[in-house]
Amino acid sequence: DVYREGFWTFLKISFAVSFWNTSLWTFIGIFVTGKWCYSSSCVDNWYADDGKNNVSIVLLLLYWSSEILFSSIAQGGIILATAFIYANQQENITSSQLDWWLCLYNGGMKNGLALVIAAAITTLGTVCGIGFFFFPGIYLLVLWFVVYPAIVLEGCNNNISKVEVSMQAIQKSRILVCGSWCYCSCTAL
């Protein structure tokens, strides 16, 4: 039901974020190389042309950073849209709350920095955990399963920094997962 009701909202959010990212890298590709560029293959080609070129390495890092930022914003918007759909099933909430732009703005853009910080912390922790005998990484993956929803749905308080918001969401995820460890682990894996 959630997917059916929110299909067009999810699609619009995904399309908008993909359009912004593609437009950014098309502009950078034209600016840097003078050629039409619209995908990561251009960035890979910049790097492959001359592996010692510092500009290529910087562009590759910028590309990865923009991918993390834009995907975090999209996930935040989709999480908020999903929450509105569930709330609408429980109560009579107006359909204007499912507006794709409001979900993207309030869920993703307002929380973008906190989502990126949380993504960096949890990804680094999970990758390091997987490096240490695999199972610690799986444990951390499940433990931090609901970090993004915690950030989006709990909201960012303007009185505290985005790092603190991310850390609070990581702690909240641990608390929320503890009661549903089996369900979260099966869903995460």
Side-chain angles (χ1 to χ4, degrees):
D1 283 344
V2 172
Y3 186 75
R4 190 174 324 124
E5 286 185 37
F7 175 78
W8 291 111
T9 302
F10 301 153
L11 185 66
K12 289 174 187 176
I13 289 171
S14 300
F15 178 75
V17 171
S18 296
F19 176 77
W20 295 335
N21 198 24
T22 302
S23 299
L24 171 71
W25 284 99
T26 301
F27 173 75
I28 290 174
I30 292 170
F31 180 74
V32 172
T33 65
K35 300 176 190 173
W36 181 259
C37 178
Y38 59 89
S39 70
S40 64
S41 64
C42 294
V43 177
D44 294 339
N45 289 340
W46 293 336
Y47 186 71
D49 288 343
D50 183 8
K52 296 179 183 176
N53 187 349
N54 289 335
V55 174
S56 297
I57 294 170
V58 169
L59 287 174
L60 194 60
L61 291 175
L62 284 174
Y63 177 77
W64 289 336
S65 300
S66 73
E67 283 293 320
I68 292 168
L69 174 66
F70 286 122
S71 67
S72 296
I73 289 171
Q75 288 179 30
I78 289 171
I79 288 168
L80 190 60
T82 304
F84 282 146
I85 291 169
Y86 274 121
N88 191 20
Q89 290 176 353
Q90 302 300 320
E91 302 171 9
N92 281 334
I93 292 183
T94 62
S95 62
S96 65
Q97 288 183 326
L98 196 57
D99 179 29
W100 73 273
W101 173 248
L102 289 176
C103 291
L104 183 62
Y105 179 74
N106 291 326
M109 291 181 185
K110 281 187 175 179
N111 302 312
L113 185 58
L115 291 168
V116 168
I117 292 169
I121 293 170
T122 57
T123 301
L124 185 63
T126 303
V127 168
C128 289
I130 287 175
F132 293 109
F133 306 114
F134 188 71
F135 291 109
I138 300 299
Y139 175 79
L140 291 175
L141 177 71
V142 175
L143 194 66
W144 295 333
F145 185 63
V146 291
V147 170
Y148 271 28
I151 290 173
V152 172
L153 300 177
E154 297 286 325
C156 286
N157 187 346
N158 292 333
N159 299 332
I160 60 175
S161 73
K162 302 299 183 188
V163 174
E164 289 180 52
V165 169
S166 299
M167 296 308 291
Q168 288 176 358
I170 289 170
Q171 292 171 354
K172 182 77 170 183
S173 177
R174 181 183 52 82
I175 292 167
L176 292 171
V177 167
C178 284
S180 310
W181 186 265
C182 183
Y183 177 74
C184 290
S185 63
C186 289
T187 305
L189 300 175

